[in-house]
């Protein structure tokens, strides 16, 4: 039934999509795009557990914190390791999104993209945190589903489509059809692990101790999964573990590809294994639609070519691949009537929204 109050709420309220990523949290708002994009870091006081900083400010503290402050990533491995910290983070991002409007505006409707492996208890915690942060209605969606919607894949149709989402802590692969996930896999080998590969390599080959952020920068600059049209070199700075002195060595993209090859192979094997478990009719569809790559980690140079090569399926990187999950989550609210089935419920009672007052 047409209800004028609902209509007004719909026009004036914020529809918010949140990507609760292991590395970055993004908030998308209807008609305004991505309004928040910050690292999923929280700095807390060690003894009191008091939250000191969240997001970009907390990440700045990493590696520089005095002993009584710890900077943590509450979702590092795709599981919610610290409830209260995750709640504080969600609270901060939702309030920050809402605070950009005048207070008389109705409270926002929120869809939160959660890693697909989280438990019922964790889902409930995310749901409660969003409601406590002032959401009028809260829904949960699995991140690969949100990524597929954000990338514009036809997930509601009777035709198969596939996403490979490589984040910081987790890599997820899923095949969709008729608004559901038909096959999916998730592993804890992703961007962070590649950074770790580079740290190990520098240490073993050059006795060089490098930091996580230095390794990440090198990966983004010259890391690859497939031979580059032009191989490159870059200076890697760190501390020599033998002499104890600062040192810089020149490393080539060929060396770094070699260092990353173990993690890359694991990801490629995951895609192949998922295809192995996909029904043949859907494989036939995928041969037409291909494999869509999303998340920050899929921007590794040559990854799409490598996957195309090894799976014989056309793969491509989604437009704006790092924001697919947040945008996709927000898009569900626009067509909640038809898309409700793509959501997951926060508990076994099956309610995805606030109970009526
Ligand atoms: P999450 O969804 O887990 O929060 P993101 O999708 O934000 O993760 O991706 C973060 C990961 O992507 C990090 O490991 C980062 O190093 C990696 N990344 C970002 N840009 C690139 C790039 N150009 N090449 C390779 N890796 C990248
Ligand atoms: Mg992600």
């Amino acid at each position: 039934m047409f209800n004028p109050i609902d209509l007004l709420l719909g026009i004036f309220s914020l529809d918010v999509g949140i990507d609760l990523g292991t590395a970055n949290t993004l908030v998308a708002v209807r008609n305004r795009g991505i309004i928040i994009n910050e690292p999923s870091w929280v700095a807390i006081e060690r003894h009191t557990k008091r939250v000191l900083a969240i997001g970009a400010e907390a990440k700045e503290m990493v590696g520089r914190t005095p002993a009584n402050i710890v900077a943590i990533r509450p979702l590092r491995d795709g599981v919610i390791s610290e409830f209260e910290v995750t709640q504080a983070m969600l609270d901060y991002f939702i309030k920050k999104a809402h605070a950009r409007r005048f207070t008389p505006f109705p409270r926002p409707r929120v869809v939160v993209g959660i890693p697909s492996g989280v438990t019922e208890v964790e889902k409930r915690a995310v749901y409660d945190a969003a409601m406590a942060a002032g959401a009028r209605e809260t829904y949960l969606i699995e991140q690969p589903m949100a990524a597929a919607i954000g990338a514009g894949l036809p997930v509601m149709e009777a035709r198969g489509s596939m996403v490979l989402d490589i984040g910081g802590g987790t890599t997820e692969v899923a095949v969709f059809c008729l608004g559901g996930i038909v096959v999916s896999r998730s592993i804890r080998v992703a961007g962070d692990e590649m950074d770790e590969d580079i740290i190990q390599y520098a240490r073993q080959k050059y006795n060089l101790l490098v930091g996580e952020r230095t390794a990440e920068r090198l990966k983004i600059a010259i890391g690859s999964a497939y031979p580059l049209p032009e191989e490159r070199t870059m200076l890697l700075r760190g501390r020599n573990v033998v002499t104890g002195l600062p040192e810089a060595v020149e490393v080539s993209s060929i060396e770094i590809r070699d260092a990353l090859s173990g993690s890359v192979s694991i990801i490629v094997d995951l895609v192949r294994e998922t295809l192995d478990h996909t029904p043949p009719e859907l494989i036939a569809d995928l041969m037409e639609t291909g494999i869509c790559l999303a998340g920050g980690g899929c921007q590794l140079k040559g990854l799409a070519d490598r996957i195309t090569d090894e799976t014989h399926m056309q793969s491509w990187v989604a437009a704006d691949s790092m924001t697919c999950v947040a945008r996709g989550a927000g898009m569900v609210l626009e067509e909640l009537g038809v898309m409700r089935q793509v959501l997951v419920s926060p508990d076994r009672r099956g309610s995805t929204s606030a109970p009526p007052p």
Side-chain angles (χ1 to χ4, degrees):
M1 267 289 284
F2 173 77
N3 178 338
I5 300 208
D6 275 355
L7 188 70
L8 278 175
L9 280 175
I11 292 170
F12 289 113
S13 83
L14 282 183
D15 276 351
V16 178
I18 299 181
D19 171 6
L20 207 53
T22 67
N24 298 295
T25 298
L26 284 81
V27 178
V29 168
R30 188 180 54 193
N31 298 333
R32 307 225 312 264
I34 302 293
I35 61 160
I36 296 174
N37 182 354
E38 290 197 44
S40 306
W41 282 93
V42 181
I44 57 174
E45 207 164 47
R46 195 185 291 275
H47 301 297
T48 61
K49 298 255 173 189
R50 196 162 62 89
V51 173
L52 300 175
I54 294 173
E57 202 187 330
K59 190 176 182 185
E60 276 305 303
M61 296 182 175
V62 176
R64 302 192 178 96
T65 53
N68 63 328
I69 298 174
V70 277
I72 55 173
R73 276 167 62 186
L75 287 131
R76 181 154 214 155
D77 297 317
V79 292
I80 297 167
S81 52
E82 308 253 356
F83 274 177
E84 282 106 72
V85 180
T86 307
Q87 286 186 346
M89 203 170 80
L90 205 49
D91 185 71
Y92 168 81
F93 287 118
I94 292 177
K95 290 199 171 126
K96 195 168 173 180
H98 192 50
R100 298 181 170 217
R101 313 260 297 204
F102 304 111
T103 28
F105 279 104
R107 295 180 293 141
R109 292 197 299 173
V110 177
V111 176
V112 187
I114 51 169
S116 51
V118 308
T119 63
E120 294 300 321
V121 177
E122 290 171 325
K123 283 180 202 162
R124 190 77 222 175
V126 170
Y127 175 85
D128 290 345
M131 293 307 281
R136 175 160 52 94
E137 290 166 29
T138 299
Y139 304 91
L140 307 178
I141 186 170
E142 290 185 87
Q143 286 171 359
M145 176 60 91
I149 295 168
L153 298 186
V155 295
M156 303 303 292
E157 288 175 24
R159 165 158 82 101
S161 47
M162 182 171 189
V163 153
L164 165 64
D165 178 353
I166 307 175
T170 53
T171 293
E172 310 206 31
V173 191
V175 177
F176 314 91
C177 187
L178 289 167
I181 294 181
V182 183
V183 195
S184 71
R185 293 286 183 277
S186 171
I187 49 167
R188 293 179 187 178
V189 174
D192 295 339
E193 189 75 16
M194 296 182 196
D195 301 343
E196 192 55 40
D197 293 339
I198 292 175
I199 293 172
Q200 293 291 337
Y201 180 83
R203 201 187 164 121
Q204 275 160 16
K205 177 132 185 226
Y206 297 109
N207 282 326
L208 196 69
L209 205 60
V210 298
E212 266 176 47
R213 298 180 70 177
T214 303
E216 182 183 26
R217 274 198 297 272
L218 186 80
K219 170 188 74 179
I220 292 175
I222 66 169
S224 62
Y226 205 70
L228 299 175
E230 239 175 90
E231 300 293 350
R232 294 167 52 190
T233 61
M234 193 172 154
L235 276 184
L236 186 57
R237 293 195 171 84
R239 179 159 54 85
N240 186 303
V241 285
V242 180
T243 65
L245 297 173
E247 197 176 285
V249 295
E250 188 169 48
V251 292
S252 76
S253 50
I254 300 173
E255 288 178 272
I256 299 304
R257 185 159 60 247
D258 194 37
L260 298 178
S261 65
S263 298
V264 170
S265 299
I266 290 173
I267 292 171
V268 173
D269 286 347
L270 187 76
V271 175
R272 290 164 64 143
E273 207 244 334
T274 310
L275 289 170
D276 269 351
H277 288 86
T278 302
E281 285 300 339
L282 294 182
I283 291 282
D285 294 341
L286 294 182
M287 289 173 74
E288 273 178 37
T289 52
I291 304 172
C292 175
L293 274 47
C298 77
Q299 293 174 34
L300 183 72
K301 294 184 216 326
L303 189 70
D305 290 337
R306 172 77 184 272
I307 290 173
T308 301
D309 216 47
E310 297 217 18
T311 61
H312 299 213
M313 299 251 181
Q314 191 60 44
S315 345
W316 80 97
V317 177
D320 221 346
S321 73
M322 286 185 84
T323 65
C324 286
V325 172
R327 285 184 293 110
M331 283 159 73
V332 175
L333 287 170
E334 288 170 27
E335 287 180 79
L336 202 53
V338 250
M339 299 196 85
R340 192 173 284 269
Q341 58 166 310
V342 305
L343 300 165
V344 292
S345 62
D347 61 16
R348 286 190 197 81
R349 279 175 291 142
S351 90
T352 48
S353 181

